Structures are given as C-alpha cells and as structure tokens.
Amino acid sequence: MIQHFSFKPLFKHQQLPGWSVSFFYKQKHYEAIYEQDGTVKWVDQTPPDEDDVKKMIHELMLFHVYD
C-alpha cells in the first residue's frame, strides 16, 4: 500500500500537464513524474513490483486530479 502520497504540478501555471509525485511504499521513499497520459517515470529507483505501484498511483491521481 502507498502511504504519504503527495503530488504537485511540474509547471507553475499548469499550462503543460504533468505532476511530480512522492510516496512511501514498503517503508521506502519513491519519487516519480506522472504525465497526462498516465505514464510514470521514476526519478531514482523503481519499486520491486512496479506494475502494482503504477496502478495505485493511477488510481490516486484519478481521484485527486481528475475528479
């Protein structure tokens, strides 16, 4: 489960879509770029079960951004 999820726009006036996301997963901190099309690009390290984590991120972004 993802904990302490946060996101912020990559661009100040949100003219170009994209968000910086950060969270803890299995007691490790991760950062990624979430693009408008749902693509996730990892900043540093990739979580061990990447596909599951991407699904959780997508669900959280749908709830917070596209609601």
Side-chain angles (χ1 to χ4, degrees):
M1 175 193 287
I2 288 178
Q3 297 178 322
H4 304 289
F5 180 79
S6 66
F7 66 95
K8 63 181 179 181
L10 285 177
F11 306 100
K12 187 174 183 176
H13 298 290
Q14 197 64 20
Q15 297 294 332
L16 300 171
W19 297 267
S20 170
V21 298
S22 65
F23 57 91
F24 283 88
Y25 181 71
K26 294 187 177 180
Q27 300 178 351
K28 288 185 93 175
H29 185 258
Y30 295 95
E31 293 183 26
I33 303 298
Y34 184 87
E35 298 180 350
Q36 182 182 18
D37 64 357
T39 303
V40 176
K41 295 183 181 176
W42 303 105
V43 173
D44 280 332
Q45 53 190 332
T46 304
D49 38 353
E50 180 181 14
D51 290 336
D52 292 336
V53 174
K54 283 182 178 181
K55 288 177 188 174
M56 288 185 263
I57 292 171
H58 185 64
E59 289 176 11
L60 287 164
M61 291 302 288
L62 284 174
F63 178 76
H64 289 293
V65 175
Y66 296 108
D67 186 28

